[in-house]
Amino acid sequence: MPPTPQPTVRSSAVDDGRHPAPAPRVPALACAGLCTLAFGLLLALVALRWGPLMSVDRALAGVLHRTAVEASGWTRLSRMLSDWLWDPWAMRAVLAGAVVLLVRRGQRLLGVWVAVTALVGTGLQQVLKAVVGRDRPVWPDPVDSAHYAAFPSGHAMSALVAGALVLWLLRLGGARPLWRRTARTVVVVSVAGVGFTRVYLGVHWLSDVVGGWLLGGALVAAAAAAYTGYVPRRRGTAPHGG
């Protein structure tokens, strides 16, 4: 009787040559498409200054600004969170640390992919700000200030891009469920928190924040789908989930 073959051990995080197992491609493509369509619609409404959208933006900004003027303690906390913890440069530092870690682990392609995605996001938001040229809210009694044009929100987009990329890397790396749940909670709180503080501090309209979220989601989903499609072809295998 031939000997019974023994099962082989395969890491869920890294396959041959330390390549991470790619995530399904189809959901990422669908997410990228939906976010792009939604962002395109919002961009058109902002550019056309669609009345109902402008009314909602002004009404919410007015209510939150009055609260920010009266609640100085909450306003100081919001400024600290928005200007330091959730600042775009802090988000870029997080991604820079992730890229360094990936390179040290021998995953140079993935590190380059993350770095390029972050750089494209920064460039894209700045180009759109210049093209759209939307004015920020103007108050007689401002509680904070910001530079450049308003749409889309750089803070909102940077937080979503950094958070989504970190979650994607944890999934690719086969991180434990506890780590992934903890990271997901931190990312959700950070993305929602920075969006709220930018409107609360009177430096953005709500649609600026939503635009940053949608554009960031489209970018990361497209990058994930492209990576998932490229890596199997580079290794000579069929794409997963395609």
Side-chain angles (χ1 to χ4, degrees):
M1 179 181 293
T4 303
Q6 297 297 314
T8 58
V9 178
R10 181 179 179 180
S11 169
S12 61
V14 180
D15 292 327
D16 301 335
R18 296 184 64 82
H19 290 288
R25 187 183 182 195
V26 173
L29 281 175
C31 180
L34 289 174
C35 287
T36 301
L37 288 174
F39 177 79
L41 175 60
L42 181 60
L43 174 61
L45 295 178
V46 169
L48 294 172
R49 300 185 61 82
W50 189 53
L53 178 63
M54 301 297 107
S55 297
V56 170
D57 276 344
R58 287 192 295 266
L60 180 61
V63 170
L64 290 180
H65 179 69
R66 287 194 296 272
T67 304
V69 171
E70 297 169 359
S72 58
W74 285 108
T75 300
R76 283 194 297 270
L77 176 61
S78 296
R79 289 192 62 175
M80 181 185 70
L81 292 172
S82 181
D83 297 343
W84 294 95
L85 183 62
W86 295 327
D87 181 76
W89 283 106
M91 299 297 103
R92 292 167 191 143
V94 170
L95 291 180
V99 169
V100 170
L101 181 60
L102 289 170
V103 171
R104 292 185 58 152
R105 292 179 59 184
Q107 296 173 268
R108 294 180 180 83
L109 174 62
L110 186 55
V112 170
W113 213 277
V114 170
V116 170
T117 301
L119 290 173
V120 168
T122 299
L124 190 57
Q125 65 171 266
Q126 293 301 323
V127 169
L128 283 168
K129 282 177 178 290
V131 170
V132 177
R134 189 185 195 186
D135 292 331
R136 293 179 183 268
V138 177
W139 310 102
D141 48 354
V143 298
D144 201 357
S145 62
H147 305 289
Y148 307 111
F151 186 90
S153 167
H155 278 69
M157 183 175 176
S158 298
L160 193 140
V161 168
L165 284 174
V166 167
L167 294 179
W168 179 56
L169 291 175
L170 290 175
R171 180 179 181 180
L172 284 180
R176 295 179 180 179
L178 177 60
W179 284 103
R180 291 173 60 182
R181 285 195 298 269
T182 302
R184 192 179 301 120
T185 300
V186 172
V187 169
V188 169
V189 171
S190 298
V191 170
V194 74
F196 172 80
T197 57
R198 300 311 283 168
V199 181
Y200 178 82
L201 293 171
V203 293
H204 271 296
W205 308 104
L206 174 62
S207 52
D208 299 337
V209 170
V210 175
W213 288 339
L214 290 174
L215 187 58
L219 175 65
V220 174
Y227 181 83
T228 303
Y230 174 75
V231 169
R233 286 199 299 272
R234 185 170 181 264
R235 297 166 59 191
T237 59
H240 289 63

